[in-house]
């Protein structure tokens, strides 16, 4: 909009963005990617490491469904890793 970033609750969320949101909410530390590596790669590594990436989803720009996002959150909760 006016140069500021806003959260659009009704908008789409990519796998990369979803992983970043969950990492930030849970206080996970991710490694800083060098300039030649895309910003989202550390979050993909974390997602695969924690087993929260839905089966068959392997594109960082894949648009998550509500069900897939719920799966990711539920998996973190079942691992006793939650923000509650």
């Amino acid at each position: 909009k006016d140069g500021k970033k806003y959260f659009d609750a009704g908008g789409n969320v990519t796998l990369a963005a979803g992983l970043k949101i969950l990492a930030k909410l849970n206080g996970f530390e991710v490694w800083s990617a060098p300039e030649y590596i895309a910003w989202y790669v550390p979050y993909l590594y974390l997602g695969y490491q924690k087993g929260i990436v839905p089966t068959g989803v392997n594109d960082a720009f894949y648009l998550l469904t509500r069900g897939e996002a719920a799966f990711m959150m539920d998996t973190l909760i079942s691992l006793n890793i939650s923000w509650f």
Side-chain angles (χ1 to χ4, degrees):
K1 293 181 179 181
D2 52 11
K4 296 181 181 178
K5 296 181 180 181
Y6 294 90
F7 178 72
D8 179 9
N12 296 321
V13 176
T14 63
L15 174 62
L19 289 169
K20 183 174 181 178
I21 290 167
L22 292 175
K24 296 285 186 185
L25 286 173
N26 286 282
F28 291 132
E29 302 239 354
V30 293
W31 53 278
S32 296
E35 210 171 285
Y36 58 88
I37 294 178
W39 67 267
Y40 55 83
V41 171
Y43 298 101
L44 290 175
Y45 273 88
L46 178 69
Y48 287 115
Q49 177 190 26
K50 300 292 183 189
I52 65 169
V53 177
T55 303
V57 177
N58 56 10
D59 177 2
F61 299 104
Y62 173 83
L63 296 179
L64 293 171
T65 66
R66 289 177 184 258
E68 290 162 339
F71 165 83
M72 293 168 68
M73 290 184 278
D74 184 61
T75 301
L76 284 177
I77 291 167
S78 70
L79 294 171
N80 291 321
I81 304 170
S82 84
W83 54 91
F84 300 110

